[in-house]
Amino acid sequence: MKNLQDTITLHNGLKMPYVGLGVWQMKDENEAVNAVKSAITAGYRSIDTAAVYENEEAVGRGVKESGVSREELFITSKVWNSDQGYDSTLKAFEASLKRLDMDYLDLYLIHWPVEGKYVDTWKAMEKLYNDGLVKAIGVSNFHQHHLEDLFAAGTVKPMVNQVETHPRLNQDALKAFCKENDIALEAWSPLGQGKLLDESVLKEIGEKHGKSSAQVILRWHLQNGTIIIPKSVHENRIKENADLFDFELSAEEMSKVDGLNKDERFGPDPDNFDF
C-alpha cells in the first residue's frame, strides 16, 4: 500500500479503497457536510454512512459540493434493523438513494443480523445487486454462523463483512474464515472508540516512527489487510488518519500490537443485541 487511493479487489472484481471516512454520530448536517468535503479534499475516496445515522442527505451534499465526480468515489450505506425483510429492504434502499441523491451505491450492507429476517434481507440485497443498483453487497456485524446461513440460502456471497475490530478485539478466527471465503473484512471503530490511544506499547511504537498511537493502530489494520473507516469531524484529524503510507510496522511491532488482544468488545455482540 502506497497511498490513500490504494484499493482491495472484492471477489466480484470491484475495487474498494482500503481507507474511508466513517460518519457515525455526525448528527449536525453542516458538520457532516464539511467532514465529507474535508476528507475528499484530503484524498479520501470512500465514505461510509447508514440509514440509522440520519446523515445520508449530508453525505450526498458533501459529495456534490466536493467537486469530485461521483464515479471517482466509493459510497457505502446500510439497511437498518427495523427495515429488514425482503420488500422493506428494497424500499429502504430506494429511500437511502433518494436521501443521498444518487443513482447507485458502491456497497450496501445489512447493518445487523436480525434474527429471522437477515436471510430474506439478503435475498433482497441480491436482487439489488443483480439489477445493477449497487455494485457490491455485504454485511455488518456478522459472525461466522450468520455468514454460513447466507451461503446456504443465497446465490451471491457477501463481498464485505464490516465488524468491530481493533487491537483489543483482533477477530483472528473471523478474519481467517472471511479470507478463506474471499470476503473482505472491514473495521468499524478501528481505533476502539479512542480507548486504546494511551496504551504504552502503541505510544512507544509511535515515537519510533514519529507517529501517533492512532496512526500505529490504523497502520496495523492495513498491514493485516483490513479495510478501515476512521471517523472524525476535525480536518486535522481526518488528515492525520490518512497519513499512514510513509512508515511500516516491523514483524516484531505487529506482534506487540497483536499482544494487546483481550477479545474485548466496546460495542454489542452480534449474537446479543436488542435494537
Side-chain angles (χ1 to χ4, degrees), residues 8-24:
I8 183 172
T9 302
L10 305 181
H11 73 66
N12 68 337
L14 184 68
K15 292 182 185 305
M16 177 178 183
Y18 266 107
V19 182
L21 176 76
V23 297
W24 179 53

Side-chain angles (χ1 to χ4, degrees), residues 40 121 185 194 211 247-248:
I40 294 172
T121 302
L185 198 85
K211 296 291 179 180
F247 76 110
E248 189 169 341

